[in-house]
Amino acid sequence: MKKFNIELAVGLFVLAGILSLGYLSVKLGKMEIVGGKGYEIYAIFSNSGGVKEGSNIVIAGVEVGRVKSIVLENYQARAVLSLPRDVKIQEDAIAAIKTKGLVGEKYIEITPGGSDKFISPGGKIRETQPSVDLEELISKLVFEKI
Amino acid sequence: MNRTFLIQAMLCLSFTFGMVAPGFAGDPQDQLRETTDKVLSVLSDPDLKSPSKAKERRERIQKIVDERFDWEEMARRSLARHWPQRTPEEKREFVPLFKTLLERVYADKVEGYSWNKILYEGETIDGDYAAIKVKIFTAKDQTLHVEYRTWKKGSHWLIYDFSVEGVGLVNNYRTQFNEIILKSSYQELVKRLKTKSVQN
């Protein structure tokens, strides 16, 4: 009887361990298991500047969502943005590709608009700004000075 | 005999109107090109080049630009979330202030640039909205990428935003205005815009 109890305890312990590992990998990998609780909209950028699947979507510096996919369409970048349902995006909001610091990772920043119309799931953020090529801008500045 | 004539006449008419209608509305790019050409002709007018004519020249450019820019929409988008909170009087006061700010910033640039060549790279129309890409070659052999965002009002495509080298005007002012309003107040923003317009 006592032996059985130990075996049960070990079994439960291992099971709990496996579950925690599973939970950790889902959390760390930022995966969504049951479709998530959000909705998706898309945006077209003339230059994605290297935004990747899983890149952050930020409003007022707060991470609100992730880039679900980014593909080439008509020689432009089409990014699908996954957002939580309670974060509504106005029709005149602007999505801009930004860089953390000077050489940091790329993310998409949404500046909320003032329209009373919201983009419905599957809709498009019309106003976008491509990634700004700092190197190119600096070189332009330099050459103008000469 | 009469009926055939009538049908022919009707066909002719519908054909003519069919041809005229899309041409009348005009492509966003053509309308933009028209405005730019008008501005360039004023800039290159030798009669207006003397410093004494500078005011007249600026006024003429302003008039041409006014026809193509939707200042109210630009101001609305720049104030964004703070626009619906404003009273009609405040809105009426804000639009000209915003316009003066832009004129102050861009007039010198437009007048000072030596435009060598302007290349229209095409337009993307999405319902009542259109984006037009333009490449400007300056005399210093530099290229500037400009993108105009327009929307259709009647038969006119009016500009409500533009970006130079990927940096958008509305987004820039939206961030700045939001910061000023959240840090102090809307009244403070108006005060700042007023002092800036006086400095002009």
Side-chain angles (χ1 to χ4, degrees):
Chain A
M1 194 64 185
K2 205 182 173 189
K3 198 180 166 196
F4 172 73
N5 269 347
I6 290 170
E7 275 173 0
L8 189 75
V10 169
L12 283 173
F13 190 74
V14 169
L15 198 70
I18 290 171
L19 282 176
S20 317
L21 266 178
Y23 176 76
L24 257 181
S25 53
V26 167
K27 271 282 153 189
L28 287 179
K30 281 160 185 161
M31 289 189 289
E32 283 167 4
I33 306 179
V34 234
K37 283 172 251 156
Y39 69 104
E40 284 163 15
I41 53 177
Y42 74 96
I44 311 272
F45 295 95
S46 60
N47 180 2
S48 77
V51 159
K52 288 191 283 279
E53 224 179 275
S55 290
N56 286 325
I57 298 163
V58 164
I59 297 176
V62 181
E63 283 178 21
V64 288
R66 293 189 165 267
V67 174
K68 202 190 168 199
S69 70
I70 184 149
V71 288
L72 193 68
E73 187 187 277
N74 220 351
Y75 297 104
Q76 288 187 309
R78 184 190 202 268
V80 176
L81 320 180
S82 170
L83 295 162
R85 207 163 289 159
D86 55 337
V87 178
K88 294 216 164 35
I89 306 295
Q90 296 87 350
E91 195 204 39
D92 58 345
I94 300 173
I97 293 179
K98 299 265 167 113
T99 315
K100 271 189 193 143
L102 264 180
V103 281
E105 61 175 300
K106 299 273 180 185
Y107 63 96
I108 296 180
E109 188 186 50
I110 299 178
T111 15
S115 172
D116 48 6
K117 283 186 208 139
F118 294 102
I119 300 172
S120 48
K124 173 185 174 186
I125 297 197
R126 190 179 294 111
E127 313 301 327
T128 59
Q129 271 178 28
S131 161
V132 173
D133 193 339
L134 270 177
E135 213 173 287
E136 209 183 302
L137 279 185
I138 292 170
S139 76
K140 273 185 183 164
L141 200 77
V142 169
F143 284 115
E144 203 180 33
K145 285 266 165 83
I146 285 171
Chain B
M1 184 71 176
N2 261 347
R3 237 173 79 183
T4 0
F5 175 73
L6 203 74
I7 290 169
Q8 271 175 356
M10 274 169 73
L11 271 175
C12 253
L13 264 178
S14 64
F15 187 65
T16 329
F17 279 115
M19 292 293 282
V20 164
F24 180 71
D27 290 337
Q29 188 170 294
D30 291 340
Q31 293 192 2
L32 178 73
R33 194 195 302 257
E34 201 188 306
T35 305
T36 320
D37 288 349
K38 275 191 204 163
V39 172
L40 289 179
S41 74
V42 172
L43 283 177
S44 57
D45 191 341
D47 294 343
L48 294 168
K49 281 226 164 117
S50 66
S52 57
K53 292 274 176 103
K55 202 176 162 228
E56 191 194 333
R57 189 164 85 154
R58 186 166 286 194
E59 276 168 5
R60 277 216 210 170
I61 295 175
Q62 269 172 3
K63 211 178 148 236
I64 301 165
V65 170
D66 276 351
E67 285 170 11
R68 188 58 55 212
F69 277 75
D70 191 340
W71 297 113
E72 192 184 322
E73 181 65 13
M74 225 178 223
R76 189 187 71 77
R77 283 174 183 259
S78 298
L79 268 189
R81 285 183 306 128
H82 305 287
W83 178 264
Q85 296 160 23
R86 305 276 71 88
T87 63
E89 290 78 42
E90 282 175 327
K91 286 177 186 171
R92 265 197 297 277
E93 183 197 22
F94 185 80
V95 176
L97 275 175
F98 181 67
K99 197 186 138 184
T100 326
L101 170 80
L102 293 188
E103 275 168 5
R104 209 179 53 87
V105 176
Y106 289 99
D108 290 340
K109 287 204 170 75
V110 170
E111 288 172 8
Y113 260 124
S114 32
W115 313 79
N116 230 358
K117 203 175 123 197
I118 295 172
L119 188 73
Y120 294 87
E121 294 190 308
E123 60 194 13
T124 1
I125 304 178
D126 178 13
D128 278 346
Y129 292 86
I132 307 147
K133 281 189 179 161
V134 175
K135 215 185 210 173
I136 299 171
F137 297 87
T138 65
K140 284 177 185 161
D141 264 351
Q142 277 188 314
T143 48
L144 280 178
H145 294 91
V146 181
E147 189 174 331
Y148 293 94
R149 303 255 173 181
T150 62
W151 72 324
K152 205 177 180 183
K153 255 191 173 173
S155 61
H156 296 285
W157 290 92
L158 302 179
I159 297 167
Y160 63 81
D161 190 8
F162 65 87
S163 61
V164 181
E165 294 295 325
V167 183
L169 175 129
V170 168
N171 204 14
N172 171 43
Y173 287 115
R174 189 179 278 183
T175 320
Q176 286 192 46
F177 291 170
N178 186 43
E179 222 163 90
I180 295 172
I181 293 172
L182 291 185
K183 262 191 199 158
S184 30
S185 64
Y186 171 75
Q187 281 67 30
E188 170 66 22
L189 171 69
V190 172
K191 209 176 101 194
R192 282 199 203 181
L193 288 179
K194 275 184 183 160
T195 28
K196 287 234 159 149
S197 67
V198 171
Q199 278 170 8
N200 200 20

